[in-house]
Amino acid sequence: MDFLQFSAGTLISLLSLLLLLSTCSGLYEDQIKKFDWRSVHVGSLKHVYVDLNHFQPRVLLSTHEQVIGSLCPKTGEIIWRQVLEKKPRGDIKLLQVSGFADDSSDTAAAPMGSHLGFDMMTVQGHAPALVRGWNTNIGTIEWEWSIMPLNTERAQDAVWFYSNSVLYHVVPAWRSHIEVTSYFATSGHTTGSTSKIMAAWINPESCLLSGSFYVCLDGKQLISLDLLAKSTQVIATPLGSEPSSKIQDLPGLNGALIVDKKLVSVNKDQAVCPDLSSDSFIVGSFNRRKVIAYADLINNMLNINAVYLDDCSPVPELHLSVAFADHYGSPSLRSFDCKSNRNSDGKNCLFLLSTSAESIVAVQQGRVRWAREESLANVIDTQFLDLPLADSEGTLENEMKGKAGDIATAFMRRITTQALQIKSLFLHVIGLGPPPTDTQRAGLVRDSFGLHKMLVLLTRSGKIFGIDNITGKHHWKLYLPNVAGFENSEQMRLIVQRSSKHFPLQPLCAIVAKSVENGNGVLFRFNPITGQAAEGGLLQLNYKIKQLALLPETEEDYVKGVLILDGANKVHVEPKHATPLAHGMYLYTADLKTAELEGYYVKYAGGELSALPIWNVRLGGHNSEQQIISVASKNPIEHVHSQGRVLGDRSVLYKYINPNLVAFVTQAPDATHKSVLNMYLIDVVSGSVIFSMTHRKVRAPLHIVHSENWLAYSYFNDKVRRTEITTIELYEGSAQANNSVWSSLQAPSMPLVERQSYIIPTIVEAMRETITERGITNKHVLIGTASGGIVEMPWHLLDPRRPISSTTQGREEGAIPYIPELPLPTENYINYNQTVARLRNIYTAPSGLESTCLVVATGLDIFVTRVAPSKTFDLLKEDFDYILISIVLVVLTSGSLIVRHLASRKLLKQAWK
């Protein structure tokens, strides 16, 4: 009996092991990072401390993207980082590092073996406010406590400061009073009751906290309060003239401020050097004396100087002058620290700067030691550009573009071309050939399969990058200062005006943005391969941009003009010579707040363009509470290969492929259903509402994909507390109204609509469909999750025509029976363990191979890869055995020749008989 029990237990264990082995999947080791790469970032700098004298030198920082981390001061690489909660819960109000308080004797370092004190402390959020102590060596939380304010609205403007192991919570009630509550920093226990200080002069526009002083600007004077003083007294500090810019605090000095590039102190016990004038100041220590360091950018040279705080005498050892590239933007000195050299011949200082282009730059020993491009944590648009042709391919391209003529002329052209190629090869071998161009030297040459491209990224700060999509190398960088996104929450646009297909003309891209200074439009044109300005470079427009669209290519230079509708509904075209091509174009505008749509017809007459309003649609509802939360149109470069779908009875169900169809989603609060979401499909040429659908008790976040004849969008279902995806397919029916040209003005009858909803067991952060050169490959939907994974979801799992039960017709169509839950197998994650923190967008582009789609996912990190939805049917596998197939071909060829010879001899012998 014992033997039988042992055998049964062993059998169960073996079966369980086999079951586990059968469910395991993964990548081969040599495939990791072979076709993909990831770039990791922390975001734009908010607080920073440089500490070179710690046993482990580090740069501790927090960012506006709710990230804290530690950088290596030698290389700038991330030692560790922690991505905190999203705003407003994760908004970092205070970062305090032990030993860096305003009082140099104040320290909160934790003793060995205890849980008291902290290496680093952060305060984040307001309702609740979270106070956390961190271990700066490995980036782990050591303790945490929180408070929930009574008035959450007022707590949004709260500020914090730390002094002598006590944390102070300052809550202003604008134009009334200030409430100050003190807590023991490590425990969260209050030290006493909340003090209420009357201050009717405080306002949200011109007040800040400088150490323990609450300071407000009032005309030509500063009014301040010392929140730690035993007796409250209002302090007035005259300025002489009203400042032209906002006042700033100077971290490290209690009550010191920066006013119009000058230092001002509202604390009578804190002296400053009022004669200094600079763009940025920072307080540090050198030779055990406090110093004020300041930096200025003059003619692309960064000059760093410092003075001792006690007597304002210069510190010559801290003087630096270093070349500063334009693409960094305007620098701001944030922190520095010095460390004695090993041979005791002076000190080596590291200065850390943040820039207007959201870069983090470290300067040391008269040069830029390293730089981190943190603007890549906020990418807002991308484009994949084909690389230039090689010289031989360019020569062939020119030959093919030449006029055909007769056969003799074509033959002579071919002979001449080959002779020139032989000459170029000979000169290259003997070392007398022409030197390679910059793009060739950088390896920027188009490959055979069109997989090697230039990835152009546009960031929120106005910085543009040209990155190799294979290696991730930054080939060039550009920075546009004083530009921003448009009204209506629209971001800046990156558009391709001329591709690389028109050899020898260079490709052309354009940035369309809004000027921060006057609100007018800005157009910047550049070469995306070299990063150099082209066609005049920066163009300041004298009107505001309301809407824009691309025109067809011109016959003159193959440039697609930009059609712009300004705030006065006047039409403009850049470049001007493309103006006639705008005749007959249709435009639409959408107001997100009022949910009002307007359509325009562009007419060219008498050498001028005009926009004629032709339709108007209001989606706001009877009480105008609906607001547009998402707009989705089809990809303009998309190709539809199959016009219909073959059914089980061999009939064809034709797709409703309307290129002018745009999806609009509105949302509004509802007394009965909490929130109502409406989806509309509207033809933006005729203004017709093709289809609409309502979802009750659902809300954002909403993400939508619109392609071919289908639509997929995700939302959060409040009723059952889960994320769902609804898919819709549109069909014309069993016959096509017009199989050659689509016209919205003569559109067919309303389409047949198939719809279905699915449950997805994750939070969706982004969605995008795959796209290929000819549209032959199956469509997959890439779904970005809150955990940072990217799932490749086949469309047949999202198909709204999935039958409830398995039927013969369904099996003939290849439709899977309907199951509401969507599977998320691990092998469908295209970024395996390369997590993309704070994933926001996924962009796709076709490659030269019909089977392959290029993908870039952006968020706090960047992940670039390629996917093959229908496998690589047009490409040989990596493990293809070339030697074996060569041997087989040689054997077959030799065998056929031998057999042929033997057969001929046999026939000859038979003929002589």
Side-chain angles (χ1 to χ4, degrees):
M1 182 66 67
D2 294 338
F3 175 76
L4 292 176
Q5 290 179 352
F6 175 77
S7 301
T10 306
L11 182 61
I12 292 173
S13 301
L14 289 174
L15 289 175
S16 301
L17 182 61
L18 290 174
L19 182 62
L20 290 174
L21 289 174
S22 64
T23 58
C24 293
S25 59
L27 290 175
Y28 289 107
E29 186 177 359
D30 60 346
Q31 289 179 314
I32 294 177
K33 295 187 178 181
K34 185 172 184 178
F35 303 115
D36 57 75
W37 54 268
R38 183 180 65 156
S39 176
V40 182
H41 309 100
V42 294
S44 59
L45 209 57
K46 190 171 186 178
H47 308 99
V48 63
Y49 295 93
V50 179
D51 188 359
L52 301 181
N53 295 287
H54 192 264
F55 75 92
Q56 180 183 350
R58 69 268 175 92
V59 177
L60 301 174
L61 52 82
S62 70
T63 68
H64 291 278
E65 279 68 40
Q66 302 85 55
V67 175
I68 62 171
S70 176
L71 305 181
C72 174
K74 292 183 178 181
T75 62
E77 295 180 352
I78 297 176
I79 300 174
W80 60 263
R81 73 168 183 181
Q82 292 288 349
V83 182
L84 305 181
E85 298 86 346
K86 292 184 179 180
K87 282 187 176 181
R89 185 181 177 90
D91 187 22
I92 301 173
K93 305 283 188 177
L94 175 70
L95 177 72
Q96 183 63 49
V97 178
S98 177
F100 281 86
D102 292 346
D103 184 1
S104 60
S105 63
D106 184 22
T107 178
M112 291 294 293
S114 75
H115 296 287
L116 301 176
F118 58 88
D119 289 342
M120 182 176 72
M121 179 178 64
T122 59
V123 182
Q124 63 184 74
H126 64 275
L130 299 175
V131 182
R132 290 169 171 168
W134 300 85
N135 184 322
T136 56
N137 296 324
I138 56 177
T140 56
I141 297 178
E142 295 186 330
W143 50 262
E144 177 186 71
W145 56 270
S146 63
I147 60 168
M148 176 61 75
L150 298 177
N151 191 326
T152 56
E153 293 184 2
R154 192 181 298 170
Q156 294 181 4
D157 302 314
V159 289
W160 297 74
F161 70 94
Y162 171 85
S163 178
N164 293 322
S165 301
V166 178
L167 196 59
Y168 295 88
H169 187 207
V170 182
V171 181
W174 301 120
R175 298 176 178 85
S176 176
H177 62 276
I178 301 173
E179 298 176 359
V180 181
T181 308
S182 56
Y183 302 89
F184 289 110
T186 56
S187 65
H189 299 301
T190 59
T191 62
S193 60
T194 300
S195 60
K196 186 176 180 180
I197 304 172
M198 302 307 297
W201 36 267
I202 62 174
N203 61 82
E205 292 81 18
S206 58
C207 292
L208 55 79
L209 186 69
S210 176
S212 63
F213 285 80
Y214 201 83
V215 187
C216 292
L217 176 64
D218 184 16
K220 297 182 181 180
Q221 64 177 349
L222 295 174
I223 302 177
S224 58
L225 286 171
D226 186 357
L227 302 179
L228 296 183
K230 295 182 179 180
S231 61
T232 304
Q233 183 178 2
V234 178
I235 305 170
T237 305
L239 296 176
S241 62
E242 187 170 352
S244 58
S245 59
K246 286 187 176 182
I247 59 175
Q248 304 173 25
D249 69 310
L250 181 59
L253 293 182
N254 191 18
L257 298 99
I258 305 173
V259 182
D260 280 348
K261 300 183 179 182
K262 295 282 188 178
L263 295 179
V264 177
S265 176
V266 297
N267 182 4
K268 64 179 181 180
D269 297 328
Q270 180 62 68
V272 294
C273 299
D275 296 332
L276 295 179
S277 178
S278 178
D279 294 326
S280 63
F281 295 91
I282 196 65
V283 177
S285 62
F286 185 76
N287 292 335
R288 298 184 179 181
R289 296 170 64 184
K290 274 197 173 183
V291 298
I292 298 178
Y294 53 96
D296 297 285
L297 186 64
I298 303 174
N299 297 328
N300 290 343
M301 293 297 296
L302 177 65
N303 298 314
I304 299 177
N305 296 280
V307 297
Y308 288 110
L309 181 61
D310 49 11
D311 59 2
C312 298
S313 60
V315 186
E317 295 89 346
L318 297 183
H319 172 71
L320 280 178
S321 184
V322 58
F324 206 72
D326 289 332
H327 63 77
Y328 288 134
S330 302
S332 176
L333 193 58
R334 301 300 300 272
S335 182
F336 80 94
D337 195 18
C338 299
K339 183 178 182 180
S340 299
N341 293 327
R342 293 182 178 180
N343 51 10
S344 300
D345 60 347
K347 291 190 174 183
N348 191 7
C349 298
L350 178 72
F351 295 87
L352 205 70
L353 303 98
S354 64
T355 71
S356 58
E358 297 184 357
S359 299
I360 301 176
V361 182
V363 176
Q364 190 176 32
Q365 296 179 342
R367 63 184 179 90
V368 175
R369 180 70 180 263
W370 50 263
R372 292 188 59 87
E373 298 296 349
E374 294 302 331
S375 60
L376 289 172
N378 294 285
V379 174
I380 58 176
D381 206 353
T382 69
Q383 291 287 350
F384 283 93
L385 273 297
D386 287 324
L387 295 175
L389 295 170
D391 291 339
S392 58
E393 294 176 345
T395 305
L396 181 61
E397 187 77 13
N398 281 334
E399 181 184 347
M400 297 299 293
K401 284 185 177 181
K403 296 182 179 180
D406 55 3
I407 297 178
T409 305
F411 178 74
M412 291 303 298
R413 190 186 300 118
R414 163 55 58 186
I415 294 298
T416 305
T417 301
Q418 292 184 344
L420 292 175
Q421 289 177 349
I422 294 173
K423 177 184 176 182
S424 176
L425 176 63
F426 177 74
L427 293 176
H428 178 73
V429 170
I430 64 176
L432 298 178
T437 62
D438 293 337
T439 55
Q440 292 174 345
R441 193 179 294 110
L444 297 177
V445 178
R446 193 182 308 177
D447 62 330
S448 303
F449 298 132
L451 297 172
H452 192 191
K453 292 179 182 285
M454 176 67 76
L455 175 59
V456 182
L457 299 176
L458 173 64
T459 64
R460 181 187 61 185
S461 64
K463 194 162 186 177
I464 317 160
F465 294 85
I467 302 178
D468 192 315
N469 77 312
I470 299 294
T471 62
K473 179 183 177 181
H474 295 193
H475 287 287
W476 54 263
K477 306 166 190 175
L478 288 174
Y479 175 58
L480 298 180
N482 301 320
V483 295
F486 302 99
E487 305 296 334
N488 228 357
S489 302
E490 282 290 327
Q491 299 285 0
M492 295 180 283
R493 292 283 302 277
L494 169 63
I495 56 179
V496 179
Q497 289 192 275
R498 183 171 59 212
S499 65
S500 303
K501 298 178 181 179
H502 306 288
F503 187 85
L505 296 175
Q506 293 294 317
L508 182 66
C509 282
I511 303 294
V512 185
K514 182 186 74 173
S515 173
V516 174
E517 298 174 350
N518 53 26
N520 289 340
V522 174
L523 186 66
F524 177 71
R525 287 171 287 194
F526 63 97
N527 184 334
I529 305 300
T530 62
Q532 298 176 351
E535 304 290 336
L538 187 65
L539 178 62
Q540 297 282 354
L541 307 177
N542 57 1
Y543 50 83
K544 293 179 171 60
I545 297 177
K546 185 177 180 181
Q547 182 62 289
L548 60 91
L550 274 179
L551 297 177
E553 292 179 352
T554 60
E555 296 182 359
E556 179 181 344
D557 52 6
Y558 303 102
V559 170
K560 294 181 179 180
V562 182
L563 178 65
I564 300 175
L565 183 70
D566 65 14
N569 288 342
K570 294 183 179 179
V571 185
H572 311 267
V573 174
E574 294 292 341
K576 301 296 184 185
H577 67 265
T579 301
L581 295 176
H583 179 70
M585 288 284 292
Y586 290 86
L587 288 174
Y588 77 94
T589 60
D591 192 316
L592 300 185
K593 294 182 178 180
T594 63
E596 185 173 352
L597 312 178
E598 293 183 349
Y600 299 90
Y601 174 75
V602 179
K603 183 179 180 181
Y604 180 71
E608 293 185 355
L609 290 171
S610 59
L612 307 177
I614 55 175
W615 57 266
N616 179 279
V617 175
R618 296 181 180 179
L619 306 177
H622 64 279
N623 52 4
S624 300
E625 288 186 349
Q626 296 281 342
Q627 292 187 351
I628 298 176
I629 60 173
S630 183
V631 180
S633 58
K634 298 179 182 180
N635 196 325
I637 64 173
E638 180 182 64
H639 288 83
V640 180
H641 176 70
S642 176
Q643 298 291 323
R645 177 171 183 164
V646 180
L647 303 181
D649 58 359
R650 298 299 184 265
S651 62
V652 177
L653 189 61
Y654 288 98
K655 298 177 181 178
Y656 182 85
I657 304 173
N658 184 349
N660 305 315
L661 200 63
V662 178
F664 297 89
V665 182
T666 64
Q667 185 179 12
D670 186 83
T672 306
H673 305 290
K674 292 185 180 179
S675 177
V676 175
L677 186 144
N678 296 317
M679 193 279 298
Y680 302 90
L681 291 175
I682 298 178
D683 190 313
V684 293
V685 170
S686 63
S688 303
V689 179
I690 304 301
F691 176 73
S692 65
M693 189 162 61
T694 300
H695 300 270
R696 294 176 176 84
K697 292 187 179 180
V698 302
R699 59 178 171 86
L702 181 132
H703 304 280
I704 189 167
V705 170
H706 192 189
S707 176
E708 291 189 0
N709 69 318
W710 56 265
L711 189 76
Y713 55 96
S714 67
Y715 50 83
F716 186 78
N717 191 323
D718 255 337
K719 183 178 180 180
V720 290
R721 297 288 179 179
R722 67 191 181 199
T723 301
E724 297 179 355
I725 294 180
T726 294
T727 58
I728 297 172
E729 278 189 333
L730 308 177
Y731 294 96
E732 284 191 45
S734 58
Q736 277 185 304
N738 192 328
N739 58 6
S740 58
V741 178
W742 176 272
S743 175
S744 293
L745 303 179
Q746 298 177 353
S749 57
M750 291 300 175
L752 305 174
V753 180
E754 300 279 357
R755 72 193 85 171
Q756 191 60 270
S757 293
Y758 298 92
I759 303 168
I760 183 166
T762 185
I763 299 175
V764 177
E765 295 290 348
M767 292 177 67
R768 184 74 65 173
E769 81 282 9
T770 59
I771 184 171
T772 53
E773 189 76 19
R774 297 297 175 188
I776 301 173
T777 305
N778 293 334
K779 287 279 188 178
H780 284 189
V781 178
L782 302 177
I783 302 175
T785 65
S787 61
I790 305 170
V791 182
E792 186 178 2
M793 184 70 66
W795 177 250
H796 65 262
L797 292 177
L798 297 169
D799 191 351
R801 288 179 54 84
R802 288 176 63 177
I804 299 298
S805 60
S806 180
T807 61
T808 303
Q809 183 173 355
R811 288 193 295 271
E812 288 289 336
E813 291 185 37
I816 303 173
Y818 174 72
I819 300 175
E821 294 84 6
L822 290 172
L824 296 179
T826 54
E827 60 267 22
N828 280 21
Y829 282 82
I830 64 174
N831 59 335
Y832 46 104
N833 66 347
Q834 301 296 299
T835 303
V836 182
R838 294 275 168 80
L839 179 62
R840 285 189 294 268
N841 288 302
I842 300 174
Y843 302 93
T844 56
S847 68
L849 290 173
E850 172 57 31
S851 63
T852 307
C853 171
L854 304 179
V855 180
V856 54
T858 63
L860 187 63
D861 304 329
I862 295 176
F863 179 74
V864 178
T865 186
R866 63 181 75 158
V867 295
S870 299
K871 307 302 181 183
T872 52
F873 58 84
D874 51 359
L875 195 66
L876 292 176
K877 294 183 178 180
E878 296 179 14
D879 57 352
F880 184 79
D881 198 336
Y882 294 94
I883 298 176
L884 177 61
I885 196 66
S886 300
I887 294 173
V888 171
L889 288 176
V890 170
V891 170
L892 289 176
T893 304
S894 303
S896 62
L897 293 175
I898 294 172
V899 169
R900 180 182 177 183
H901 176 68
L902 294 176
S904 62
R905 289 185 61 184
K906 181 178 179 181
L907 291 174
L908 183 61
K909 289 180 179 179
Q910 289 178 353
W912 281 101
K913 287 182 180 179

